[in-house]
């Protein structure tokens, strides 16, 4: 970390600041220029409150020169992490398609969608049992029954299942769930992240709707710092001023996350766009940008879906998309 000290600061003030920093176990190397003094902070600067330092009257600017995320950082772990879910691998050249309805609505729906997405080439089955809805009056999910129906669909098709957790108290219900999803709204639920870090389960971590990539990676760091390195990052669009789409899909996040981190990165064009006709082009763009997988919402009857029908593909449209993705990957 580097702190640039303002002009006309006295040596006594600089000594005072240096002492305060050193008290926190960090060495300070000062270089005196004609107008400005630059303090180089060396050591574990994670404990230094950067905003506080920046707010001091004698400080002009503060800059971090190393990333605050360590365990998910590619610098310290150059090879790609491959997350294994049963026989399915994600990352390091292994590509996975997660497909299924937004919410689990019934046993019959889950089994029918599972069979059709499997036949079209999906490798993991999704379905929300606990749903984070903007309105408390909207369908909240079938909860424990929803997980039960997912497990039945897993038994019928052999596909591992992915479903969202909203409360760490529900973890006992997730014992047989293969991948636990942390949704966009919970990306910074740090207590939940820490609890998931204590499990060995693969975690699908979605980017928050208004979060930077640094914040996203710090959330992955929360899980890793507790001992669980099985994390799949998911770009699902961020909120901007554009209203034609539900969110704005940040395709550049895919290659950037690969640059910054060794964790696999998948893309969710369904939540990113909110419109079924945009799902295929954005899925293609994500794969071209290097995504290690896709998460696609598929419903057997989108017009009557209890959640996110407008962005859900029919099984036929999904099969079409999966075929195109296969061809694109061959070219790539
Ligand atoms: C979902 O995957 O169903 C979901 C709620 O996604 P997000 O958290 O990205 O909105
Ligand atoms: Mn959804």
């Amino acid at each position: 970390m580097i702190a640039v000290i303002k002009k006309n600061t006295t040596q006594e003030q600089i000594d005072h600041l240096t002492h305060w920093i050193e008290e926190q176990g960090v060495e300070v190397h000062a270089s005196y220029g004609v107008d400005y003094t630059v303090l180089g902070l060396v050591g574990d600067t994670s404990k230094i409150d950067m905003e506080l330092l920046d707010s001091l009257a004698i400080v002009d600017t503060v800059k971090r020169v190393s990333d605050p995320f360590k365990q998910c950082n590619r610098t310290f772990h150059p090879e790609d992490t491959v997350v294994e879910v049963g026989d399915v691998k994600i990352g390091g050249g292994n590509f996975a398609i997660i497909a299924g309805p937004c919410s689990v609505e019934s046993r019959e729906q889950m089994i029918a969608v599972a069979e059709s997405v499997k036949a079209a080439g999906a490798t993991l089955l999704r379905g929300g049992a606990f749903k984070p809805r903007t309105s408390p009056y909207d369908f909240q999910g079938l909860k424990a029954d929803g997980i039960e129906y997912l497990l039945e669909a897993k038994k019928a098709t052999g596909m591992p299942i992915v479903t969202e957790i909203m409360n760490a108290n529900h973890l006992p219900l997730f014992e047989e769930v293969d991948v636990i999803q942390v949704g966009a709204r919970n990306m910074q639920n740090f207590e939940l992240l820490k609890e998931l870090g204590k499990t060995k389960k693969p975690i699908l971590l979605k980017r928050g709707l208004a979060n930077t990539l640094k914040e996203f990676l710090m959330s992955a760091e929360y899980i890793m710092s507790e001992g669980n390195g099985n994390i799949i990052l998911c770009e699902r669009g961020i909120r901007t001023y554009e209203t034609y789409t539900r969110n704005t899909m940040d395709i550049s996040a895919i290659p950037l996350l690969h640059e910054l981190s060794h964790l696999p990165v998948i893309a969710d064009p369904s939540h990113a766009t909110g419109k079924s006709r945009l799902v295929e082009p954005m899925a293609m763009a994500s794969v071209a940008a290097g995504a290690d997988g896709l998460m696609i919402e598929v419903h057997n009857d989108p017009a009557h879906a209890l959640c996110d029908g407008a962005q859900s593909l029919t099984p036929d449209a999904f099969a079409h998309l999966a075929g195109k993705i296969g061809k694109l990957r061959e070219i790539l």
Side-chain angles (χ1 to χ4, degrees), residues 102 131 271 297 308 311:
C102 180
K131 292 305 305 174
H271 291 89
E297 283 190 344
D308 289 349
Q311 66 194 35

Side-chain angles (χ1 to χ4, degrees), residues 94-230:
N94 302 285
F95 188 83
I97 304 185
I98 305 169
C102 180
S103 354
V104 180
E105 296 175 9
S106 70
R107 174 183 284 122
E108 295 66 34
Q109 169 230 22
M110 237 13 268
I111 293 184
V113 176
E115 281 169 349
S116 57
V117 296
K118 184 183 181 184
T123 38
L124 292 123
L125 178 66
R126 66 150 282 150
F130 292 91
K131 292 305 305 174
R133 304 303 299 277
T134 301
S135 167
Y137 308 117
D138 285 340
F139 176 60
Q140 303 286 307
L142 296 180
K143 304 184 174 74
D145 286 344
I147 294 186
E148 206 46 56
Y149 301 154
L150 274 166
L151 290 170
E152 287 181 30
K154 173 183 174 177
K155 213 180 211 173
T157 59
M159 268 197 288
I161 55 170
V162 183
T163 194
E164 178 168 353
I165 193 163
M166 287 173 33
N167 186 330
N169 293 334
H170 297 153
L171 261 172
L173 293 171
F174 286 70
E175 226 143 78
E176 290 174 71
V177 168
D178 300 283
V179 179
I180 302 182
Q181 176 173 323
V182 176
R185 290 154 193 83
N186 272 312
M187 188 206 87
Q188 286 190 313
N189 181 340
F190 301 118
E191 292 306 313
L192 177 63
L193 299 177
K194 283 193 264 182
E195 286 308 310
L196 295 173
K198 291 175 192 149
T199 73
K200 296 272 166 284
K201 294 266 185 202
I203 307 296
L204 173 64
L205 179 64
K206 299 187 91 174
R207 181 180 181 182
L209 23 165
N211 287 109
T212 64
L213 296 183
K214 194 178 273 181
E215 288 163 343
F216 189 18
L217 291 171
M218 289 310 290
S219 291
E221 195 75 13
Y222 260 95
I223 301 170
M224 293 187 88
S225 67
E226 296 290 336
N228 186 357
N230 289 313

